[in-house]
Amino acid sequence: MQKQTELDFVATMYDQHGHAYSRRRFTSGLLFNDYIEAPLVRQLIGNANQLKGLNVLDIGCGPGIYSRLLLAAGAQLTAIDSSAVMLEVAKSYCFDIP
């Protein structure tokens, strides 16, 4: 029997609980990364005009929170995640970008 890697474990966990995690993430207020990680990422994303037409890779996109920001800024986005459920949620969350 092949040993499960950490990435396999995380993917399985998010495949099993991804919809519940995403509902909480989008509707139940801020999580720790909204205070620590998100301000820094938003600062790195910076001026939307700088991203128009750039190819951007969002590795570990999760529910698509940063993917949505990048798409709204005009980036040509490729988003990947080890969890099929997280990719499904990200596609749904990012679908209504103008």
Side-chain angles (χ1 to χ4, degrees), residues 78-97:
T78 300
I80 62 174
D81 199 283
S82 61
S83 166
V85 169
M86 287 287 95
L87 283 173
E88 175 187 314
V89 171
K91 285 178 187 176
S92 175
Y93 184 60
C94 294
F95 183 72
D96 64 352
I97 296 295

Side-chain angles (χ1 to χ4, degrees), residues 30-84:
L30 300 175
L31 299 178
F32 75 94
N33 56 335
D34 288 303
Y35 296 103
I36 299 168
E37 174 187 314
L40 295 173
V41 172
R42 286 189 177 96
Q43 186 176 7
L44 286 171
I45 291 172
N47 185 342
N49 292 330
Q50 296 173 351
L51 294 177
K52 283 197 186 293
L54 287 181
N55 293 316
V56 177
L57 176 61
D58 186 354
I59 300 171
C61 67
I65 292 166
Y66 298 128
S67 297
R68 186 178 172 102
L69 291 172
L70 292 162
L71 286 169
Q76 299 297 314
L77 183 71
T78 300
I80 62 174
D81 199 283
S82 61
S83 166

